[in-house]
Amino acid sequence: MTTTSATTTTPAITLESKLPNVGTTIFTVMSALATQHNAVNLGQGFPDFEGDHRLHQAVANAMFDGHNQYPPMAGLATLRSAIASKVSALYAHHIDAEQVTVTAGATQALLTAMLAVVNAGDEVIVLEPCYDCYIPAIELCGATAVRVALTPGSMQPDFATIAAAMTPRTRALVINSPHNPSGTVWCEADMLALQDLLRGTNIILISDEVYEHMVFDGQAHQSALRYPELAQRSFVVSSFGKTYHVTGWKIGYVVAPPALMAEFRKVHQFNVFTVNTPMQHGLASFMQHTEAYTDLPAFYQAKRDRFRAGLANTNFKLAPCSGTYFQCVDIDGLKVAERDLSEAEFCKWLTAEVGVAAVPLSAFYADGFDQRRIRFCFAKQDATLDLALQRLATL
Ligand code: PMP
Ligand code: GLN
């Protein structure tokens, strides 16, 4: 008979972290702090109002109608066809459902696209400030993120700097317009300059367009899909969560030409295999209500204008906002001594002591670059925005 010693200890596991520089995301940190202090949460980007109940009903109906088993790997054919029609109508890019894959949100689409085409030792260019999932996704591929700054202040792309960062090892470039966190949008001239820059290279474009329906002042969203030369080298990523006010549903899609999509699906099928069935049915039928996204620019523009008008009466200095549901402000002109804290410490103070949560721009730079600027999310009910403004007016 063998005996086991009660004092046996588990051998220590040694780990080399794949993401040694990653902690908990700033969005999670600020939302937890907002809850703890009962602050108005203008930090993490999500609406505090419901989406269209016809969509919720369509999803519920799908569930009760028995659409609860695996859908096809790439997504429901009816949903992919509806997406292909939308892309053709909006961006004059004529594709079929084979160039669309439904994903578990934009985050999965971005990671899967990178895993599909970026190899160890490659370089991928990102434009900082950039959304927090890009660099970890690049690093999970064993590749190097090459960080190029958007022009400080204006946050416009500087194509000479991007060109200077391109090397024979550059596998991909990630762009994001409308841009989180700055609220800037790329214009036609930017897209044409990008098209010129990439012509003749083997660089894949990963275009994060989750805020495609939040472009203001009569401008049109400049999707990479509008530009045939770009479209043929691009993964274009969209998110139903943003468009239909359902960020918690985590469902989106990617559009890519056949050769790129074939590689994408090889990874997708072993990453998530497919995405939940009832929501795909619900979205497929709800997508016929095109006003749900054609009305969105005016809807969010009204919120932007209300929020900006209120902020204009405070000591925050407004940055321009042409798209997204984010408004950035500079904190240097505030009367309170806390304006001298780092952006991150200032946001914590603002949440705990003033009762309004925001996100520091430094969280969007790998080196924590601090330009005295913070981000508010205005995807909130008017009463929520007004309460926040009342509190911010004291600074
Ligand atoms: N890209 C950007 C720029 C975002 O702001 C977000 C989320 N807010 C995402 C991607 C992720 O979208 P999803 O929730 O659909 O994964
Ligand atoms: N994208 C949202 C933002 O920028 C947050 C999403 C998340 O929490 N991962 O605030």
Side-chain angles (χ1 to χ4, degrees):
M1 191 181 137
T2 52
T3 53
T4 316
S5 158
T7 56
T8 303
T9 52
T10 313
I13 305 281
T14 52
L15 275 181
E16 192 181 333
S17 174
K18 291 195 164 193
L19 298 171
N21 303 318
V22 166
T24 307
T25 82
I26 188 69
F27 312 114
T28 305
V29 170
M30 292 314 302
S31 279
L33 207 60
T35 306
Q36 184 189 336
H37 294 283
N38 200 22
V40 181
N41 190 356
L42 306 190
Q44 189 178 25
F46 64 90
D48 73 341
F49 46 83
E50 286 298 314
D52 194 316
H53 283 181
R54 292 173 300 177
L55 171 59
H56 302 195
Q57 192 61 57
V59 171
N61 290 348
M63 238 180 245
F64 287 111
D65 289 346
H67 295 298
N68 298 302
Q69 307 310 327
Y70 294 126
M73 182 271 282
L76 214 62
T78 47
L79 178 57
R80 288 187 293 115
S81 295
I83 294 167
S85 303
K86 176 182 174 183
V87 162
S88 304
L90 287 186
Y91 305 131
H93 179 57
H94 301 290
I95 55 168
D96 61 31
E98 278 315 295
Q99 291 177 52
V100 180
T101 296
V102 179
T103 62
T107 312
Q108 185 239 312
L110 291 161
L111 175 61
T112 301
M114 302 252 194
L115 290 171
V117 298
V118 176
N119 288 308
D122 286 349
E123 293 173 359
V124 178
I125 298 175
V126 297
L127 308 180
E128 282 191 323
C130 69
Y131 186 58
D132 67 345
C133 75
Y134 302 163
I135 293 178
I138 294 163
E139 291 176 348
L140 286 173
C141 298
T144 303
V146 175
R147 302 181 290 118
V148 172
L150 291 167
T151 308
S154 73
M155 301 281 190
Q156 296 299 322
D158 176 347
F159 290 99
T161 328
I162 301 172
M166 286 163 44
T167 77
R169 297 166 86 99
T170 308
R171 172 75 283 196
L173 163 68
V174 187
I175 63 168
N176 169 221
S177 174
H179 183 243
N180 181 7
S182 73
T184 53
V185 301
W186 285 28
C187 63
E188 184 184 3
D190 294 324
M191 299 307 283
L192 292 173
L194 179 66
Q195 190 163 262
D196 287 346
L197 187 65
L198 297 185
R199 186 172 302 128
T201 72
N202 202 24
I203 297 175
I204 292 166
L205 182 66
I206 300 179
S207 185
D208 178 347
E209 302 186 11
V210 300
Y211 300 103
E212 64 192 309
H213 297 300
M214 296 167 211
V215 178
F216 310 135
D217 308 315
Q219 296 183 72
H221 170 56
Q222 297 298 329
S223 174
L225 297 174
R226 283 184 194 273
Y227 299 84
E229 275 185 50
L230 291 179
Q232 71 185 18
R233 60 168 79 238
S234 295
F235 290 105
V236 174
V237 173
S238 294
S239 172
F240 287 116
K242 312 284 173 206
T243 302
Y244 294 139
H245 314 303
V246 287
T247 60
W249 287 15
K250 296 300 299 183
I251 182 163
Y253 58 90
V254 63
V255 173
L260 291 183
M261 191 52 93
E263 292 306 314
F264 183 95
R265 288 184 182 173
K266 286 183 194 172
V267 179
H268 177 77
Q269 67 182 343
F270 297 121
N271 181 188
V272 290
F273 178 60
T274 189
V275 177
N276 76 82
T277 310
M279 281 180 191
Q280 294 200 47
H281 278 275
L283 285 162
S285 72
F286 186 73
M287 278 185 76
Q288 65 184 291
H289 300 293
T290 53
E291 77 284 357
Y293 52 82
T294 53
D295 288 351
L296 217 50
F299 173 78
Y300 274 121
Q301 185 170 325
K303 293 203 176 290
R304 178 201 65 171
D305 291 347
R306 183 184 194 94
F307 192 50
R308 283 178 69 87
L311 282 173
N313 297 323
T314 71
N315 291 310
F316 287 102
K317 185 161 163 265
L318 287 159
C321 171
S322 307
T324 73
Y325 45 48
F326 300 116
Q327 173 65 55
C328 290
V329 294
D330 291 335
I331 59 177
D332 269 345
L334 300 180
K335 354 183 251 246
V336 289
E338 286 78 5
R339 65 168 186 233
D340 294 328
L341 292 170
S342 69
E343 290 172 2
E345 287 305 317
F346 178 84
C347 287
K348 286 183 185 156
W349 171 80
L350 193 69
T351 308
E353 303 300 330
V354 182
V356 181
V359 164
L361 266 270
S362 53
F364 297 79
Y365 291 85
D367 64 2
F369 173 59
D370 188 315
Q371 62 199 297
R372 325 304 305 133
R373 192 169 275 197
I374 64 172
R375 188 198 82 177
F376 291 119
C377 171
F378 58 78
K380 306 293 166 188
Q381 299 173 53
D382 289 349
T384 310
L385 294 176
D386 293 348
L387 177 59
L389 286 165
Q390 204 182 318
R391 294 179 179 180
L392 296 174
T394 60
L395 307 176

